[in-house]
């Protein structure tokens, strides 16, 4: 598992000292897997380790550690200790953080045994090791209308996804969720040059001409996946115009239109849920590389 330092750093900056609650071990049927973490401060928290009685107990312990310091390790059989039906057991590690740790982070959380040789995410002999987040998927949302706002809300809390949200003016954005990078770009197609070559693009601006220009720019830039909001008629016109701009049929076919799951309906949140399901399942268009011209 990996350590999301960007999110944690933002929470420390906003709230001061926090307690990070980590599922260090998970055995049997449990709500979340080892490596899952939540962050707790005096009057709030971010993330979840599974909810219910387990999380309620964890919040209480975390706030004790926030006052008294740590680390602290708690082993919880979910049935006997918490009257939950899962039947498994978790080991939780509570650590107060005033600043971000250096990574990889190897530390002793209980006992006094010498440090073992640990790699990756590991919890053994009272020692815990974590690494920096790896494999984070950049998702760029182009357009701050109703669907763009729904996508930002739904995608931002998901693990290993970094959202950049783009539109032409700051006034077009409503509430920007914590963790989202807002980018104001008067010429959005030119901003495509700043996106990583492995980004997932969701194109849904107020203008069909801008949408087309973004598709053109994405095909030249390269991407992991690209989807455009719209109808079959819109996409037929886009295909024709993209071919006229010199793109190959095979490259154009890697762009998906419409986005989401049509059976979910056209409500903005329904579209966002369909997009999230597609990203999480890996059901996205194959990678398209830049420079694919006829």
């Amino acid at each position: 598992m990996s350590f999301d330092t960007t999110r944690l750093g933002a929470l420390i900056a906003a709230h001061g000292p926090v307690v990070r609650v980590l599922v260090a071990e998970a055995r049997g049927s449990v709500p979340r897997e080892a490596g899952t973490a939540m962050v707790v401060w005096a009057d709030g928290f971010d993330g979840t380790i599974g909810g219910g009685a387990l999380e309620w107990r964890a919040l209480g312990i975390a706030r004790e550690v926030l006052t008294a310091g740590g680390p602290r390790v708690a082993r919880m059989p979910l049935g006997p200790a918490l009257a939950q039906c899962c039947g498994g057991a978790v080991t939780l590690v509570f650590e107060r953080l005033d600043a971000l740790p250096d990574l990889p982070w190897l530390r002793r959380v209980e006992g006094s045994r010498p440090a073992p040789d640990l790699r990756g995410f590991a919890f053994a002999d009272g020692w815990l090791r974590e690494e920096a987040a790896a494999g984070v998927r950049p998702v760029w949302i182009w357009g701050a209308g109703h669907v763009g706002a729904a996508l930002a809300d739904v995608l931002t809390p998901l693990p290993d996804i970094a959202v950049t949200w783009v539109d032409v003016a700051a006034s077009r954005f409503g509430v920007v969720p914590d963790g989202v990078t807002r980018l104001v770009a008067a010429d959005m197609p030119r901003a495509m040059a700043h996106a990583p070559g492995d980004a997932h693009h969701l194109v849904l601006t107020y203008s069909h001409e801008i949408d087309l220009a973004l598709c053109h720019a994405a095909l030249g830039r390269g991407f992991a996946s690209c989807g455009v909001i719209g109808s079959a008629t819109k996409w037929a016109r886009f295909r024709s115009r993209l071919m006229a701009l010199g793109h190959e049929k095979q490259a154009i076919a890697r762009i998906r239109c419409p986005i989401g799951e049509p059976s979910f309906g056209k409500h903005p949140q329904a579209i966002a849920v369909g997009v999230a399901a597609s990203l999480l399942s890996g059901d996205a268009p194959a990678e398209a590389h830049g420079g694919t011209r006829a």
Side-chain angles (χ1 to χ4, degrees):
M1 302 298 291
S2 58
F3 196 132
D4 185 353
T5 54
T6 302
R7 182 67 175 164
L8 179 59
L11 292 171
I12 293 173
H15 303 289
V18 300
V19 171
R20 184 166 177 264
V21 183
L22 175 73
V23 180
E25 288 182 321
R27 298 179 181 178
S29 177
V30 297
R32 298 294 300 274
E33 66 276 9
T36 301
M38 63 186 296
V39 177
V40 183
W41 54 95
D43 57 356
F45 65 96
D46 180 77
T48 177
I49 57 170
L54 171 65
E55 190 159 288
W56 183 254
R57 178 73 63 84
L59 286 169
I61 296 173
R63 291 190 172 114
E64 292 174 6
V65 172
L66 187 63
T67 300
R72 180 168 168 183
V73 177
R75 291 176 173 81
M76 297 185 181
L78 301 188
L82 300 171
Q84 293 189 199
C85 300
C86 299
V90 297
T91 299
L92 302 180
V93 174
F94 301 79
E95 296 170 287
R96 174 177 162 137
L97 295 174
D98 295 54
L100 285 175
D102 293 328
L103 298 178
W105 189 18
L106 176 66
R107 69 277 196 195
R108 189 177 67 204
V109 294
E110 65 176 347
S112 57
R113 291 175 290 275
D117 183 17
L118 301 179
R119 295 289 183 270
F121 175 86
F123 178 59
D125 296 332
W127 288 78
L128 182 60
R129 186 184 189 277
E130 294 178 87
E131 295 182 336
V136 172
R137 288 178 290 176
V139 175
W140 284 53
I141 301 171
W142 300 88
H146 295 303
V147 177
L151 284 164
D153 284 340
V154 170
L155 296 178
T156 301
L158 296 175
D160 301 326
I161 288 179
V163 174
T164 299
W165 196 7
V166 192
D167 212 320
V168 296
S171 61
R172 294 191 60 83
F173 294 88
V175 176
V176 179
D178 290 343
V180 168
T181 299
R182 189 187 71 168
L183 176 61
V184 176
D187 187 338
M188 284 197 279
R190 288 187 63 186
M192 182 66 72
H194 298 283
D198 62 347
H200 297 266
H201 295 284
L202 300 166
V203 178
L204 34 101
T205 76
Y206 63 89
S207 161
H208 284 198
E209 288 302 315
I210 295 175
D211 287 354
L212 177 66
L214 284 167
C215 290
H216 175 48
L219 286 166
R221 174 66 173 161
F223 51 79
S225 71
C226 183
V228 184
I229 197 165
S231 64
T233 301
K234 174 182 176 179
W235 184 236
R237 291 174 178 169
F238 273 31
R239 281 199 305 267
S240 176
R241 294 179 68 179
L242 289 168
M243 288 180 64
L245 288 167
H247 298 288
E248 297 176 349
K249 287 183 179 180
Q250 184 179 7
I252 297 169
R254 297 176 190 270
I255 299 177
R256 176 174 294 171
C257 183
I259 59 172
E261 171 51 57
S263 66
F264 290 179
K266 296 182 180 181
H267 190 283
Q269 274 70 26
I271 294 172
V273 168
V275 169
S278 184
L279 284 169
L280 290 173
S281 67
D283 179 24
E287 182 177 359
H289 299 281
T292 51
R293 301 295 178 90

